Structures are given as structure tokens and as C-alpha cells.
Amino acid sequence: MRKLLRGCAFVTLGAAVVLACVYLVHGLVGQAALSKAKDRASADIAEKLPAAREVAAQDRERVRSRLDTLTAGRPDHPAHSWTELVCDISSMDAGWVVQSYSQKCHLRTVDAIPLEGPADDGATPAGAESSADRECVSTPPEPGAVDVTSRVSIHRGPATAYDADEPHREGCPDDIFTPADRETTRPLNGTRPAGTEDAHSWLVLTIETPVSHIDLGCDPWVPLLCASPLDAPVLGDGD
């Protein structure tokens, strides 16, 4: 009986050692593959970023003519402008099962233009929203009116809506007057405004231009399930 129990113990121990070795080898091989994927992501950003910036600049110039009509034809109206690289990690699913994770990066070019507030006599100047209105109005260019390859959005609304705890509930973009997320965003040029005190209402032009899309696989140290291999995306090196 003792020999049988001892044999079972040896078999159990041996199986545990084999499983541990398999787990270790799988993790090390997967970690090496993940390291190569991170290098590819960084290299892909460095390679494609200059062309994406050129496309974004061209699209911005084309859309600015649309902005001039919304700001009462005043192209010299003061604006806060900046460009940043934004990356995120998302899953690639097959039904309910996650098969892999990938990183997508795009350029976000923003013009935040302070508009004039309501006049003392109660009239609302052209291009400005009433400060009593708490919602943003989305006014994208008409289909075919502007020939761009980027994704364009134009929002106009009162400062109170942009200052709300959750601006998206008022129809406004929620990342204009908040600090950039350093884990997912790399500033490239320009400076975002410190707040909404410049005016009662704002017009915000956002242009999103694709840059990079890289497959990252799964976390090599999580068996059975496909978990995200990274806690934060790869943003590349420098400008």
C-alpha cells in the first residue's frame, strides 16, 4: 500500500514538474514574441507617423473652410490647436471568445475655438450658442462637401456643457479640457487650452487620422484564456 501511495506521489510530482516546465517554456516563448510585437508597433509608428501627419494637415486645411462659415467667416478668430498620437489596445473576438489583442494608433488633431458669448441685449451673435443651452450640436461637413481621408467631427456648444462631469452626455467630446492620458497619448505639437474660461461657447474641430495597427497576441503567462498582453499601448520613441 505504501509503495502504491509512493508511486502515486511520484507520478503526481512528475506531472506537476512537466506542467510547470510547459508553462515556463510557453511563457518565455510568448514573452519573446510579445517583445518582437512591441518592437514592430514602435517601428510601425515611426515609419507611418510622418505620412499621417501630412495627411492630417491637408485634411485640416480642407475642413477649415467649413469652420469659417461656422465662426461667422472670421478665419483669424483665436484658436487653440494641438496634435497628439493616441493609441489603444482592443480585443479581436470570434463570437464570445477573445482570440487576440491588437494596438491601433491614430493622430488626433484638434482646433478648439472660443466663440463670443451672448450679447448684453440678449441677442446671440452669429456662430455662437446660447449659454442657456447645455448641449453640444454636432455639425459635420456635408457628405462630399469636403474631400478628406480622416474622420472629421465638429461640435459647437456652451462652456457649461464642456465643463460637465461627463461632457459626452451633453453631446460634447469629453477629452478637450482635461489633461491628456500619458499612458495612451503622446503630444506632438501645440497646447490644449487650460479651461473654458475663454468664452461662453466653443467650436471644436477634431480630425482623426489612422497611423498604425499591429497584432499583439495574448498574454503568454495567462493559460487557457486570452488576456491583454500589455497594460498600456506602445507610443513609440520621441517625435
Side-chain angles (χ1 to χ4, degrees), residues 115-126 128-131 200-201:
L115 302 175
E116 294 181 7
D120 293 337
D121 59 0
T124 302
E129 290 289 323
S130 168
S131 60
H200 289 296
S201 59

Side-chain angles (χ1 to χ4, degrees), residues 173-184:
D174 58 6
D175 51 5
I176 302 302
F177 301 102
T178 57
D181 185 346
R182 294 183 179 275
E183 289 191 348
T184 61

Side-chain angles (χ1 to χ4, degrees), residues 17-232:
V17 171
V18 170
L19 289 176
C21 290
V22 170
Y23 173 78
L24 181 61
V25 171
H26 178 272
L28 292 175
V29 171
Q31 190 65 43
L34 176 59
S35 179
K36 292 181 180 179
K38 291 170 63 178
D39 290 341
R40 286 198 306 272
S42 183
D44 200 50
I45 291 173
E47 177 184 353
K48 297 178 179 179
L49 186 57
R53 295 183 72 167
E54 184 175 346
V55 169
Q58 292 173 353
D59 287 347
R60 178 178 179 270
E61 289 302 316
R62 294 188 180 103
V63 177
R64 280 304 296 259
S65 61
R66 171 63 175 166
L67 277 184
D68 292 344
T69 63
L70 294 176
T71 55
R74 293 169 299 177
D76 59 341
H77 202 77
H80 302 274
S81 301
W82 68 96
T83 301
E84 54 198 7
L85 176 70
V86 182
C87 299
D88 63 78
I89 299 173
S90 58
S91 63
M92 296 186 290
D93 307 334
W96 294 94
V97 180
V98 177
Q99 291 191 323
S100 184
Y101 283 83
S102 66
Q103 172 176 294
K104 289 185 178 181
C105 298
H106 65 270
L107 279 182
R108 180 164 57 200
T109 305
V110 182
D111 284 325
I113 302 175
L115 302 175
E116 294 181 7
D120 293 337
D121 59 0
T124 302
E129 290 289 323
S130 168
S131 60
D133 184 3
R134 284 197 51 83
E135 295 184 353
C136 281
V137 178
S138 177
T139 55
E142 294 84 357
V146 181
D147 182 18
V148 296
T149 58
S150 305
R151 178 182 176 185
V152 177
S153 64
I154 302 174
H155 292 84
R156 185 178 57 182
T160 51
Y162 286 103
D163 271 341
D165 292 336
E166 296 180 316
H168 64 273
R169 293 184 179 275
E170 312 296 340
C172 305
D174 58 6
D175 51 5
I176 302 302
F177 301 102
T178 57
D181 185 346
R182 294 183 179 275
E183 289 191 348
T184 61
T185 304
R186 173 155 65 94
L188 298 177
N189 64 268
T191 304
R192 68 177 64 221
T196 61
E197 64 277 0
D198 289 12
H200 289 296
S201 59
W202 289 77
L203 185 144
V204 175
L205 162 67
T206 305
I207 297 177
E208 296 182 349
T209 309
V211 176
S212 174
H213 186 190
I214 294 293
D215 183 21
L216 299 174
C218 304
D219 189 335
W221 300 105
V222 177
L224 302 180
L225 298 177
C226 183
S228 176
L230 297 177
D231 294 329

